Amino acid sequence: MLTLPSSVRIFAAVEPVDARKSFDGLAAVVRESLGSDPMGGHLYFFLNRRGDMAQILFWDRTGFVVMRKRLESGTFRLVRNAEGNKSHVEIDAAELGLMLEGIDLGTVKRRKRFKWEPQSTIEEKSATT
């Protein structure tokens, strides 16, 4: 499981990207296709056309880092499709970790873990009991 600060956002490109692209090529895709700043401190996730190779690009304050993973069998799948004609979707660290493990999240159901209530609602309930 990946542990990232909550300020780091993860963007997955919807369209496949040539797996031969490296630092500069992926940074250009982030700028031109995704419309974002590759040096902004966020992670950018890419799949190749066959879906057997994933790449992650991020800036670590001193330079670009590219991480790659190739599956020996099977393919990676994006968690969800982009709404409208967007070029990317935002995913969270848990989804990224599961995707990198080769788990198809289309068949996985996420269950609710807690019910959040504003503090004023909790105080109102305790005052009436």
Side-chain angles (χ1 to χ4, degrees):
M1 181 78 51
L2 294 172
T3 305
L4 298 170
S6 60
S7 61
V8 174
R9 298 169 67 189
I10 304 167
F11 300 103
V14 173
E15 294 296 319
V17 172
D18 187 351
R20 296 172 293 183
K21 290 188 185 290
S22 190
F23 303 99
D24 296 329
L26 292 174
V29 169
V30 170
R31 277 189 210 96
E32 295 166 11
S33 297
L34 305 184
S36 188
D37 178 16
M39 294 182 192
H42 302 301
L43 272 66
Y44 300 93
F45 179 77
F46 305 95
L47 294 176
N48 66 344
R49 188 168 307 281
R50 286 186 291 184
D52 65 343
M53 183 176 294
Q55 297 184 89
I56 299 172
L57 173 75
F58 66 95
W59 177 263
D60 76 346
R61 296 183 310 194
T62 59
F64 284 114
V65 177
V66 174
M67 298 185 327
R68 292 183 177 182
K69 181 171 184 176
R70 183 184 71 200
L71 293 176
E72 292 302 316
S73 63
T75 57
F76 294 106
R77 298 214 22 184
L78 283 180
V79 178
R80 58 181 100 68
N81 295 326
E83 296 174 3
N85 57 352
K86 287 190 171 185
S87 59
H88 63 281
V89 293
E90 187 170 352
I91 60 176
D92 62 27
E95 291 169 327
L96 177 62
L98 292 171
M99 284 178 13
L100 289 174
E101 287 297 319
I103 297 172
D104 181 4
L105 296 176
T107 60
V108 176
K109 181 178 180 180
R110 179 175 277 194
R111 299 182 188 268
K112 235 180 190 175
R113 295 291 180 212
F114 66 91
K115 182 177 178 183
W116 181 81
E117 294 183 29
Q119 186 64 32
S120 60
T121 307
I122 295 170
E123 291 170 359
E124 290 171 6
K125 284 183 181 179
S126 63
T128 59
T129 56

